[in-house]
């Protein structure tokens, strides 16, 4: 599995912990920035990760900002991206199983590192369950098509 990661300055520290955690499990990770604590704009990194996930260069993405909210809103503007903000493990696996989420978003200022790593594990180990859920994903895709210019 290949995972693309991105964050703004507000998510930089948690992103470093997640990268070390995934590398310790021999999961291939690519960090698309930001790389410094300088203030930056979360939509820039949301777009970098959303692009490579929707182009299927990476199976999943993980995006982190201060709250996980802004970076998730931005990523969800890319058609085909289903970014899920999860601050508990149940939501993390359900977002994959029911919503076929392809990006996990997290807020470094909201949860601790230990919980964040458990959430990451729950997200990457879960599988989309298809069937009735696919029908609902198809409806999301129809909404995207209707409002895309
Ligand atoms: C940056 O200060 C902060 O606004 C950002 O990381 C994020 O929380 C936005 O949703």
């Amino acid at each position: 599995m290949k995972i693309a990661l991105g964050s703004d300055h507000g998510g930089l520290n948690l992103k470093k912990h997640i990268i070390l955690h995934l590398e310790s499990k021999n999961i291939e990770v690519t960090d698309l920035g930001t790389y410094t604590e300088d203030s930056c704009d979360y939509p820039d990194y949301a777009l970098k990760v959303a692009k490579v996930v929707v182009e299927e260069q990476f199976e999943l993405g993980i995006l982190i900002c201060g709250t996980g909210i802004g970076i998730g809103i931005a990523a969800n503007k890319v058609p085909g991206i289903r970014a899920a903000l999860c601050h508990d493990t149940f939501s993390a696996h359900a977002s994959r199983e029911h919503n076929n989420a392809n990006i996990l978003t997290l807020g470094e200022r909201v949860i601790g590192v230990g919980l964040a790593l458990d959430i990451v594990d729950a997200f990457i180990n879960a599988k989309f369950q298809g069937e009735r859920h696919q029908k609902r994903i198809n409806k999301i895709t129809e909404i995207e098509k209707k409002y895309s210019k």
Side-chain angles (χ1 to χ4, degrees):
M1 177 183 288
K2 286 171 66 180
I3 299 181
L5 289 101
S7 74
D8 70 356
H9 55 289
L12 181 67
N13 187 52
L14 179 56
K15 183 178 63 176
K16 289 178 183 171
H17 283 282
I18 293 171
I19 289 170
L20 289 175
H21 177 71
L22 293 174
E23 286 177 342
S24 77
K25 294 172 179 287
N26 293 318
I27 293 172
E28 197 177 328
V29 296
T30 298
D31 182 2
L32 297 175
T34 188
Y35 306 113
T36 73
E37 289 179 3
D38 296 344
S39 182
C40 62
D41 300 328
Y42 56 79
D44 297 339
Y45 300 95
L47 179 57
K48 283 177 192 287
V49 170
K51 182 175 184 297
V52 296
V53 170
V54 90
E55 289 174 357
E56 297 183 351
Q57 296 175 44
F58 290 81
E59 202 171 328
L60 295 173
I62 299 175
L63 286 167
I64 309 121
C65 66
T67 59
I69 296 171
I71 209 156
I73 291 172
N76 276 317
K77 297 299 177 189
V78 176
I81 289 300
R82 291 175 298 279
L85 172 61
C86 301
H87 285 149
D88 65 274
T89 56
F90 178 83
S91 301
H93 68 75
S95 75
R96 298 275 298 125
E97 292 160 356
H98 291 203
N99 313 115
N100 202 9
N102 46 18
I103 292 182
L104 168 68
T105 81
L106 294 164
E108 179 181 318
R109 297 172 186 160
V110 183
I111 56 168
V113 173
L115 176 56
L117 299 183
D118 282 355
I119 289 168
V120 166
D121 287 344
F123 185 77
I124 66 176
N125 291 325
K127 297 272 176 291
F128 180 49
Q129 292 176 347
E131 299 182 1
R132 71 186 189 281
H133 304 296
Q134 184 59 55
K135 182 180 68 155
R136 295 160 187 164
I137 303 297
N138 293 346
K139 290 191 176 190
I140 294 173
T141 305
E142 287 307 311
I143 295 170
E144 282 177 344
K145 282 185 193 157
K146 183 171 177 187
Y147 287 95
S148 290
K149 296 218 165 47

